[in-house]
Amino acid sequence: MKNNLPGLLLGSLLLLLSTLIWGQENNASRTDAADFDFGVAELETNYAGFPSKVTEANRKTYEALKARCRKEVTEGRKPWEALGELYAWFDDFHLRVGRFATPYMQRELPSYETMEDYDPLPTYCKVTDRTFLIRFPSCDGEYPTPEWVNESIDAYRASGCENLIIDIRGNGGGMDGIFRPYTTLLYDHESRLDGAKIRNTPAHIAWIDKIEVDWIQQLKEEMEKSEDEFVLMTPRWIEISYDSISPLPRRAALIIDATVASAAEQMVLTLRACSSRTTVYGRDNTMGCLDYSNCRTVNLPQSGITLSVPMTRTCRLPDRGIDQTGIAPDVRIPLPLPNELTDNVDEWTQWVAANLEK
């Protein structure tokens, strides 16, 4: 009788090894599924756009996509990539899974990669003896800072120029408050803006509880008392009214492009509402990233990748949203893209200055 002990031992080792590998893969798939399920829960429970964007007409489509993405995760697809595809279905640039939703977005934005150097930088200077330029490429408050904003206005007033160009190309947003001095400068009539509602969830209540501002704490108390799915975060209408009107500039321009988003789009809407002397110039519409905003960030529990989930929706909805189209300029600039946009006075700025001086 042959001795099969070596073969039996080898078979046992292979069986043990395959069991260990299967166990590791199974644990990995469970871990990945946990990340995916966490991201789905954030989407469905907390995203301000979910209740209105998932309707009776498209719910089956959404559920089928979710089921497919989850199945692919259990088969080895990275959960953040699957979540990126699922989040992109909502066509909201504020709703993000790191950068992994971008390749799946339904809208393709105009590209400025053909320019030799597209890097808008904060700057202010004279364009001509009659027109002054302020380039304001960010609302994040880090640079340009609020102090810089006031310095730019002081420099304009000292210039003696009758016209002002505020160039916000490249401004992807940040905080609304930082552009308020420009609103005060250009304001010439009372107006009002749409307010916003916050989706009333425990996660959002916990998030704003950390903000030690009186009106935020009052909002938290209102949310805790209310059983409504959405609670007004601001008044329904936000009044714009100042005690005085600056005599200069006589004419103003706001230059936009397709990268203008979020708080920078709010700047466009605000100035359109309260400044009849301001004209919006550009070639492309803005990005369209404002209807759902005030994002809460949270990390996936296993991978640590950051989700960005809008907590609020504008009262412009459902009839006057901008996300699907962006904001169109009042005047289309009939020029090709400039070769360079940094801290220079580029061809578009010169064209707008000439237009203001007509």
Side-chain angles (χ1 to χ4, degrees):
M1 184 175 184
K2 265 188 174 181
N3 185 352
N4 284 329
L5 185 58
L8 290 170
L9 286 174
L10 180 59
S12 299
L13 287 170
L14 289 172
L15 178 60
L16 177 61
L17 183 60
S18 65
T19 301
L20 288 171
I21 292 173
W22 181 88
Q24 290 170 353
E25 290 178 345
N26 196 41
N27 287 337
S29 66
R30 284 200 298 268
T31 297
D32 288 347
D35 258 7
F36 182 82
D37 292 342
F38 181 92
V40 169
E42 279 292 330
L43 175 69
E44 296 181 351
T45 305
N46 295 314
Y47 171 43
F50 190 86
S52 55
K53 290 197 172 193
V54 178
T55 65
E56 288 185 13
N58 65 18
R59 181 170 288 277
K60 286 184 178 179
T61 303
Y62 165 74
E63 294 292 345
L65 174 61
K66 179 174 71 173
R68 173 175 67 76
C69 287
R70 192 183 194 284
K71 181 175 182 293
E72 289 173 355
V73 168
T74 63
E75 294 172 348
R77 187 181 186 187
K78 299 300 183 185
W80 49 86
E81 292 179 354
L83 282 173
E85 181 178 358
L86 185 65
Y87 277 32
W89 184 82
F90 291 83
D91 200 24
D92 182 347
F93 288 107
H94 266 145
L95 181 67
R96 300 192 297 272
V97 184
R99 296 180 179 272
F100 294 97
T102 304
Y104 301 100
M105 290 300 293
Q106 300 171 45
R107 285 178 287 158
E108 187 172 343
L109 298 175
S111 173
Y112 302 121
E113 292 181 357
T114 56
M115 295 171 59
E116 291 180 9
D117 193 356
Y118 180 81
D119 184 22
L121 298 172
T123 191
Y124 50 82
C125 63
K126 277 189 173 184
V127 181
T128 71
D129 288 338
R130 295 174 58 192
T131 302
F132 194 83
L133 165 68
I134 297 174
R135 182 160 291 136
F136 178 61
S138 175
C139 291
D140 66 13
E142 294 183 8
Y143 189 63
T145 62
E147 292 76 17
W148 186 95
V149 170
N150 290 323
E151 288 171 7
S152 71
I153 292 174
D154 291 342
Y156 163 66
R157 285 177 167 150
S159 73
C161 292
E162 62 184 274
N163 302 319
L164 174 64
I165 296 171
I166 301 181
D167 183 356
I168 60 171
R169 284 175 287 176
N171 193 323
M175 304 177 294
D176 290 3
I178 194 170
F179 66 75
R180 189 167 294 122
Y182 295 133
T183 305
T184 306
L185 176 67
L186 297 175
Y187 166 86
D188 56 26
H189 66 275
E190 292 183 354
S191 189
R192 63 183 187 176
L193 298 168
D194 293 278
K197 296 180 178 182
I198 185 169
R199 192 172 180 191
N200 193 2
T201 72
H204 294 166
I205 291 172
W207 178 267
I208 67 174
D209 185 45
K210 303 170 187 175
I211 304 173
E212 296 180 359
V213 176
D214 287 345
W215 76 269
I216 292 287
Q217 290 304 307
Q218 291 173 6
L219 171 62
K220 185 201 78 167
E221 292 175 7
E222 291 173 15
M223 293 171 70
E224 290 173 332
K225 293 175 184 176
S226 176
E227 295 182 0
D228 294 336
E229 186 170 20
F230 283 87
V231 173
L232 273 170
M233 186 179 77
T234 67
R236 170 62 184 86
W237 295 104
I238 300 171
E239 303 296 330
I240 308 176
S241 179
Y242 294 102
D243 294 335
S244 62
I245 297 174
S246 173
L248 291 177
R250 289 195 176 91
R251 299 184 70 190
L254 199 62
I255 305 181
I256 63 171
D257 66 10
T259 68
V260 170
S262 195
E265 288 179 299
Q266 187 60 58
M267 181 178 179
V268 178
L269 295 180
T270 300
L271 290 176
R272 269 196 173 160
C274 72
S275 178
S276 58
R277 53 182 150 173
T278 301
T279 302
V280 180
Y281 292 82
R283 190 189 72 165
D284 305 307
N285 292 9
T286 62
M287 183 181 291
C289 182
L290 186 60
D291 292 341
Y292 304 92
S293 57
N294 293 296
C295 297
R296 180 175 62 85
T297 56
V298 60
N299 294 337
L300 293 175
Q302 301 299 327
S303 64
I305 288 172
T306 301
L307 307 178
S308 173
V309 182
M311 298 188 291
T312 66
R313 72 181 185 194
T314 176
C315 294
R316 287 189 305 275
L317 297 172
D319 300 322
R320 292 178 292 109
I322 67 161
D323 280 9
Q324 294 306 304
T325 60
I327 303 169
D330 300 317
V331 176
R332 299 276 179 184
I333 296 176
L335 300 177
L337 292 171
N339 292 325
E340 178 183 350
L341 185 67
T342 54
D343 58 357
N344 60 318
V345 177
D346 68 301
E347 299 94 319
W348 282 20
T349 301
Q350 293 168 345
W351 187 90
V352 171
N355 193 269
L356 290 177
E357 293 173 11
K358 284 181 180 177

